[in-house]
Amino acid sequence: MVSSITRTSGISGGSTSEVEGLGKGIESSFGLNLIPLPANPLFGTDGIRGRVGELLNAPLALQVGFWTGIVLRNHATQVGPVILGQDSRNSSDMLAMALSAGLTAAGLEVWYLGLCPTPCVAYLTSISDAIGGVMISASHNPPEDNGIKVFSANGGKLPQILQTEIEAGLRGKISPIARVSNCGRHYSRFELVEDYSSALKKPLNGALNLQGMKIVLDLAWGAAVGLAPSVFTQMGAEVICLHNEADGDRINVNCGSTHLDILAATVQEHNADIGFGFDGDADRVLAVDNTGRQVNGDYILYLWGRHLQQNQQLPDNLIVSTVMANLGFEKAWQQIGGNLIRTAVGDQYVQAEMQRTGGMLGGEQSGHILCRHYAVTGDGLLTALHIASLVREAGVPLSELVDRSFQTYPQLLRNVRVVDRDRRLGWQDCQPVQQAIALAEAAMGDSGRILVRASGTEPVIRVMVEAANAELTNYWTNELVSKVQQHLMD
């Protein structure tokens, strides 16, 4: 345990500002059940997420904080603090403070980190005596959205059974096991972020540094703006930054991991070795090679997996990915003796399968990468540091490493906006869409693959088609998107 991660009775350097809890018997004065909640579960694939002012508002955050605190307390062997962080969205201050009020109302101590990446919250939770962690962020979503991510004491995603208990409390289906009789406290612990920074660099200290590398970072106006440039500079790289101020109006807007064009152009303009694009809370990252070509999570997993495999650090040569992983990646990995297990889309499913199988490397094509040698959850900064180090050690450009790896099958992913939540989550009951999928699968046979699913984080139906040639991919993507638009959109 890092020495500075101590209980607040021994705080040195932390702020002394405190917010007292709301007092005895607070559960009776919260106005529970007065907030209308949707019939469908609040927790999606990555916590609670939605449009601020609609699903997400301060009263809901207050109650989520309270019931999260109650559930974490009930399942803890001893009471410890809850670690709280946030991204740069305009609504994050409001939601973080409301959530902290709920946690302190549950009698808990809150350690508030302020602006920081999501994996910073997970890491500090895992190495301290915290009973859980909470991050206020909507990850890669647009500025008007926000979310609440809850971590268990080990830094992993909160188990489904505890999410269900929190939601039962929100819906008035349970009462606290014991009456809350103490006031919690809120402490600003901004200095703890430096412990996370040190942990990022530690595995690479004494090994190859990034001296001589020119690296472009697109920070998406988000959570990593203060941390990423210093970490890469301290590792010896020459750093060029894009979108590197905290800006709640522009977070993720035409930048970061979901919009790599500016990053690619900047890499080429400055003749840089590599570029990395992060999302708003920096738990995911995508790369751009020295030619400006985009390098997605499949390539990152293959290259990192190959490196670990060659160093006998990959048990059973196993990589865990999702149903979105490209067939070209899967076949190339198998050709060098690797095993690939696919899960449902969502890093929580990847993480659960890694824990079940003992897998040490896993992730998603979209850039959530988890290496259990170094982290307890997906971490964009950690991944970027290790990929840059891997390139430095190889002594050849990233473009050459990519060329040696595999060729992707043509794959198209289209998002169809379906605002009606019931229609979106119940899309499998739509017979015309199901018939179109069956027709496409029969026509392509073994030469293609189809995945249609409702997003767990956005109001969209995702249609993915992968085939041996681009003509088939384009044709069946258009056919399926047309059916979804015709039968599921308002």
Side-chain angles (χ1 to χ4, degrees):
M1 182 179 297
V2 177
S3 60
S4 63
I5 311 294
T6 56
R7 295 303 304 273
T8 51
S9 58
I11 284 180
S12 60
S15 169
T16 58
S17 65
E18 304 164 358
V19 179
E20 293 193 359
L22 300 183
K24 289 187 177 183
I26 189 63
E27 67 273 12
S28 65
S29 61
F30 256 34
L32 299 178
N33 307 320
L34 297 181
I35 299 176
L37 299 175
N40 293 297
L42 288 175
F43 283 89
T45 57
D46 202 12
I48 300 172
R49 191 174 298 187
R51 186 68 55 91
V52 176
E54 295 176 5
L55 174 64
L56 273 180
N57 52 38
L60 176 64
L62 181 72
Q63 294 189 23
V64 170
F66 177 74
W67 285 106
T68 296
I70 292 296
V71 170
L72 290 176
R73 280 187 67 158
N74 289 345
H75 288 270
T77 55
Q78 60 181 17
V79 177
V82 173
I83 294 177
L84 174 64
Q86 67 173 76
D87 70 15
S88 60
R89 294 166 201 273
N90 293 336
S91 59
S92 289
D93 285 350
M94 170 191 73
L95 294 174
M97 292 304 99
L99 198 129
S100 180
L103 288 166
T104 56
L108 293 176
E109 192 172 281
V110 175
W111 293 358
Y112 175 61
L113 305 178
L115 183 71
C116 67
T118 290
C120 176
V121 173
Y123 170 75
L124 292 173
T125 300
S126 73
I127 65 163
S128 69
D129 58 357
I131 62 172
V134 183
M135 179 70 180
I136 305 297
S137 177
S139 192
H140 62 284
N141 282 33
E144 57 269 21
D145 291 350
N146 216 324
I148 301 171
K149 304 181 183 186
V150 185
F151 295 93
S152 59
N154 65 4
K157 297 293 179 70
L158 194 69
Q160 182 64 50
I161 188 170
L162 299 192
Q163 293 181 17
T164 301
E165 284 188 34
I166 293 171
E167 189 153 342
L170 290 168
R171 296 182 184 276
K173 296 180 180 179
I174 62 172
S175 298
I177 292 176
R179 189 175 180 85
V180 178
S181 59
N182 64 301
C183 298
R185 307 290 283 273
H186 173 111
Y187 294 89
S188 293
R189 298 296 306 271
F190 307 137
E191 82 283 358
L192 297 183
V193 177
E194 183 57 35
D195 291 320
Y196 167 67
S197 175
S198 298
L200 288 173
K201 295 173 289 186
K202 185 176 180 179
L204 300 173
N205 287 341
L208 285 172
N209 59 31
L210 305 181
Q211 194 74 38
M213 294 190 75
K214 186 184 292 185
I215 299 176
V216 183
L217 305 177
D218 185 343
L219 303 170
W221 310 113
V225 294
L227 192 60
S230 64
V231 169
F232 275 87
T233 299
Q234 290 163 16
M235 289 302 298
E238 177 185 346
V239 177
I240 300 166
C241 291
L242 301 171
H243 315 119
N244 58 325
E245 296 178 2
D247 191 327
D249 290 319
R250 293 187 286 180
I251 184 172
N252 295 321
V253 177
N254 298 320
C255 62
S257 62
T258 54
H259 298 86
L260 296 174
D261 292 345
I262 297 175
L263 176 62
T266 305
V267 167
Q268 291 178 295
E269 177 188 351
H270 291 273
N271 194 29
D273 295 286
I274 194 169
F276 293 107
F278 302 91
D279 66 342
D281 66 337
D283 65 349
R284 71 167 69 179
V285 66
L286 294 179
V288 169
D289 72 15
N290 51 295
T291 70
R293 177 175 47 180
Q294 298 181 12
V295 180
N296 67 22
D298 288 347
Y299 284 104
I300 291 172
L301 285 171
Y302 181 93
L303 295 174
W304 203 354
R306 182 66 168 154
H307 180 78
L308 293 171
Q309 181 191 52
Q310 291 171 340
N311 288 281
Q312 283 77 52
Q313 292 182 300
L314 198 63
D316 300 322
N317 294 325
L318 174 64
I319 292 177
V320 178
S321 191
T322 75
V323 291
M324 294 297 294
N326 193 277
L327 279 173
F329 163 40
E330 180 177 18
K331 292 186 176 183
W333 183 242
Q334 290 171 342
Q335 286 174 0
I336 60 172
N339 300 310
L340 182 72
I341 294 178
R342 295 178 184 266
T343 72
V345 173
D347 61 321
Q348 65 172 320
Y349 301 114
V350 172
Q351 189 173 40
E353 185 65 17
M354 291 174 68
Q355 291 170 344
R356 187 188 72 81
T357 60
M360 298 303 290
L361 180 66
E364 299 184 278
Q365 190 181 79
S366 59
H368 277 122
I369 309 295
L370 172 59
C371 185
R372 293 178 61 206
H373 289 296
Y374 309 111
V376 294
T377 190
D379 191 326
L381 288 179
L382 179 78
T383 298
L385 283 168
H386 281 264
I387 294 302
S389 179
L390 184 155
V391 172
R392 177 81 161 80
E393 182 178 346
V396 299
L398 178 58
S399 59
E400 186 172 331
L401 295 178
V402 170
D403 289 340
R404 293 177 191 172
S405 58
F406 62 89
Q407 292 291 319
T408 59
Y409 277 40
Q411 185 185 85
L412 272 181
L413 174 63
R414 294 268 298 275
N415 294 327
V416 183
R417 189 172 180 84
V418 179
V419 177
D420 188 295
R421 183 182 174 94
D422 292 334
R423 285 189 186 183
R424 185 170 73 251
L425 298 181
W427 73 269
Q428 291 173 306
D429 297 327
C430 180
Q431 288 305 308
V433 172
Q434 291 289 1
Q435 290 168 1
I437 293 172
L439 179 62
E441 289 176 335
M444 290 193 298
D446 293 336
S447 65
R449 196 166 64 93
I450 292 168
L451 177 66
V452 179
R453 66 182 184 89
S455 169
T457 59
E458 298 177 81
V460 297
I461 298 287
R462 304 197 195 279
V463 177
M464 188 277 285
V465 178
E466 188 175 72
N469 62 70
E471 184 178 354
L472 277 175
T473 304
N474 287 325
Y475 176 80
W476 287 113
T477 300
N478 290 333
E479 285 291 306
L480 295 175
V481 166
S482 176
K483 289 296 183 182
V484 171
Q485 290 173 332
Q486 181 180 351
H487 295 284
L488 292 174
M489 289 179 65
D490 294 337

